[in-house]
Amino acid sequence: MPTLSEPTAAASPRRVDELLAHYGESHRNPANEAIHCVAIPLIMLSLLGLLFALHPWVAYGFVLASMVYYARLSAAFLLSMALVSVLGLALVHAMGARVLPLSAAIFVLAWIAQFVGHRIEGRKPSFFEDIQYLWVGPLFVLSLGFRKLGWRW
């Protein structure tokens, strides 16, 4: 039984909330936030396309591994990211033979936008500290939408 000086499990923040709070520290400028809301989904799409161009099973494996990561954080984010991933894979399939050049172009342009956003913000991207923030970025974008809808993750 916890004493008064020990935090209870209910009082300690969830890992997903800690990750989002840390990520949010370098994404406070409204222009940077807006850039991320466009660029992060485009980076996700382009990454799936690039992996798909290597071999479709590489893309599917990446999605599966990502779902395992998201399952450890939040059921709401897991379901949302599963839907986003299915949509992304459908778009990749629709690119057909142009998947590699389209994905490469989107990837480069979206990353340029991301770095412009961080230049505006005056803070380095979170993934420079920890690679897992590449998986947290999409959750940050979803969390902004969830908040506007009044949904809890």
Side-chain angles (χ1 to χ4, degrees), residues 16-17 20-21 23-41 77 80-81 114 121 136-153:
V16 67
D17 295 322
L20 287 169
Y23 191 90
E25 290 173 10
S26 61
H27 301 85
R28 293 185 177 170
N29 182 290
N32 185 31
E33 197 173 277
I35 288 168
H36 276 63
C37 286
V38 173
I40 287 175
F77 281 140
S80 299
M81 289 305 299
Q114 291 278 81
E121 182 84 40
V136 175
L139 302 184
F140 176 75
V141 172
L142 283 174
S143 73
L144 296 174
F146 283 10
R147 283 189 187 120
K148 286 184 181 186
L149 295 170
W151 295 355
R152 181 71 181 135
W153 54 85

Side-chain angles (χ1 to χ4, degrees), residues 63-133:
V63 168
L64 180 61
S66 297
M67 294 306 111
V68 170
Y69 177 79
Y70 294 132
R72 298 178 55 160
L73 295 177
S74 158
F77 281 140
L78 168 63
L79 293 173
S80 299
M81 289 305 299
L83 289 173
V84 168
S85 296
V86 167
L87 176 61
L89 288 168
L91 290 171
V92 164
H93 278 276
M95 289 180 198
R98 298 181 316 262
V99 68
L100 182 58
L102 285 174
S103 296
I106 293 168
F107 188 84
V108 169
L109 294 173
W111 273 110
I112 289 170
Q114 291 278 81
F115 285 110
V116 167
H118 279 285
R119 175 106 168 133
I120 292 167
E121 182 84 40
R123 307 261 329 242
K124 66 181 178 179
S126 300
F127 75 88
F128 283 178
E129 295 173 34
D130 188 337
I131 193 78
Q132 78 175 314
Y133 284 104

